[in-house]
């Protein structure tokens, strides 16, 4: 490898954080062609994670940096987002990281091998971006706010989420904002999630129940909502 090529690699890696997967597109933006990336792999400076994905030799991929580098229209949601915001019920259990995707979306095989991830492809809201924000200092990783995340979590009851744990999680959500919860409840396409939230929040005496205008929220008929599934039955 020439000194010029080595100098370029050294310069490129100063812009990469430890554990950050490097996409072929990102490398190209830094002046590293596909042919040059191949030479870096052959020289042992980079390792190939998968097609179009590389990592600095000696590093292990970091979950947050891997998700930030992942292309596609998705966000972290459901119980994972609640946990990231500090709401966790069972700390001993490490569930999969839940990604909610809009449109075509596929996880790279190497990422599935390194991290426990689950992709949910459901259009639960009229506005896909409502209640979703950038995560802290990350440039592109988006995470559902607690108000949206709780509805995504309740949508998964009982197929992906037990009603017991969902109840405990809702009981901890005393800081929900009506200015965001109201429009989300109005636009949520899952009547089950809406009704579960209203009932569980009422049982938990969450302060937000005094601020919501329930006349504008679609909650289905007045008859009980019953859903049977192999993992259990819910009635609300």
């Amino acid at each position: 490898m020439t000194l010029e090529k080595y100098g370029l690699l050294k310069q490129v890696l100063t812009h990469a954080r430890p554990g950050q997967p490097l996409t072929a597109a990102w490398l190209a933006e830094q002046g590293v062609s596909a042919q040059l990336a191949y030479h870096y792999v052959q020289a042992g400076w980079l390792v190939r994670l998968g097609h179009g994905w590389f990592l600095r030799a000696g590093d292990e991929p970091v979950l947050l940096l891997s998700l930030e580098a992942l292309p596609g229209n998705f966000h972290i949601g459901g119980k994972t987002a609640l946990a990231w915001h500090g709401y966790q019920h069972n700390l001993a259990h490490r569930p999969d990281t839940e990604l909610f995707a809009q449109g075509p979306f596929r996880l790279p095989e190497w990422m599935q091998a390194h991290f426990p991830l689950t992709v949910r492809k459901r259009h639960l809201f009229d506005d896909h971006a409502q209640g979703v924000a950038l995560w802290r200092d990350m440039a592109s990783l988006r995470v559902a706010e607690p108000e949206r995340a709780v509805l995504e979590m309740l949508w998964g009851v009982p197929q992906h989420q037990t009603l017991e744990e969902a109840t405990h999680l809702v009981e901890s959500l005393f800081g929900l904002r009506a200015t965001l919860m109201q429009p989300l409840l109005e636009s949520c396409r899952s009547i089950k999630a809406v009704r579960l939230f209203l009932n569980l929040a009422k049982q938990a005496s969450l302060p937000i129940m005094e601020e919501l205008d329930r006349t504008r929220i679609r909650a289905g008929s007045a008859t009980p909502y019953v859903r049977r599934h192999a993992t259990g039955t819910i009635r609300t």
Side-chain angles (χ1 to χ4, degrees):
M1 180 181 296
T2 66
L3 289 176
E4 181 182 356
K5 289 180 178 179
Y6 172 74
L8 175 59
L9 174 63
K10 186 176 181 180
Q11 178 182 351
V12 167
L13 292 184
T14 60
H15 297 290
R17 289 165 286 182
Q20 174 187 343
L22 312 174
T23 65
W26 186 87
L27 287 172
E29 291 176 358
Q30 311 303 314
V32 178
S33 65
Q35 183 180 13
L36 190 52
Y38 171 80
H39 285 302
Y40 288 152
V41 171
Q42 294 300 305
W45 294 103
L46 293 178
V47 295
R48 188 186 299 275
L49 290 172
H51 180 68
W53 290 89
F54 303 88
L55 187 70
R56 177 167 37 195
D59 278 3
E60 282 294 326
V62 173
L63 175 61
L64 283 180
L65 298 179
S66 300
L67 292 172
E68 184 181 29
L70 185 62
N73 189 4
F74 75 95
H75 68 270
I76 306 302
K79 187 164 64 174
T80 300
L82 289 175
W84 286 19
H85 285 293
Y87 302 103
Q88 298 187 83
H89 172 56
N90 188 351
L91 296 177
H93 178 53
R94 185 191 177 197
D96 288 4
T97 298
E98 289 185 288
L99 283 63
F100 283 74
Q102 289 76 47
F105 183 80
R106 186 176 181 180
L107 286 171
E109 291 184 5
W110 72 265
M111 196 173 288
Q112 298 179 66
H114 277 84
F115 308 110
L117 303 170
T118 296
V119 177
R120 312 283 190 206
K121 294 183 178 180
R122 291 292 184 276
H123 294 169
L124 295 178
F125 300 89
D126 296 334
D127 184 350
H128 299 321
Q130 189 176 38
V132 176
L134 289 176
W135 181 248
R136 297 181 178 176
D137 61 343
M138 310 297 283
S140 59
L141 181 59
R142 301 183 308 137
V143 178
E145 299 283 11
E147 292 80 3
R148 176 171 179 140
V150 66
L151 293 174
E152 292 172 338
M153 182 268 295
L154 291 173
W155 160 80
V157 176
Q159 301 96 319
H160 314 299
Q161 171 66 54
T162 67
L163 179 58
E164 179 183 8
E165 185 178 17
T167 300
H168 288 302
L169 282 168
V170 173
E171 288 173 347
S172 69
L173 299 176
F174 276 85
L176 295 178
R177 298 159 292 182
T179 53
L180 183 54
M181 196 79 241
Q182 180 76 42
L184 283 169
L185 286 167
E186 292 179 23
S187 65
C188 185
R189 299 178 180 181
S190 171
I191 296 299
K192 175 186 69 175
V194 171
R195 292 183 69 150
L196 270 175
F197 174 78
L198 294 175
N199 285 350
L200 294 179
K202 181 179 179 181
Q203 292 176 25
S205 300
L206 295 187
I208 195 172
M209 293 304 293
E210 300 297 325
E211 304 176 60
L212 295 175
D213 182 358
R214 296 192 58 172
T215 64
R216 294 162 47 193
I217 299 172
R218 295 169 295 178
S221 66
T223 58
Y225 179 96
V226 179
R227 179 70 179 271
R228 294 179 175 84
H229 189 265
T231 59
T233 301
I234 62 168
R235 181 185 178 88
T236 183

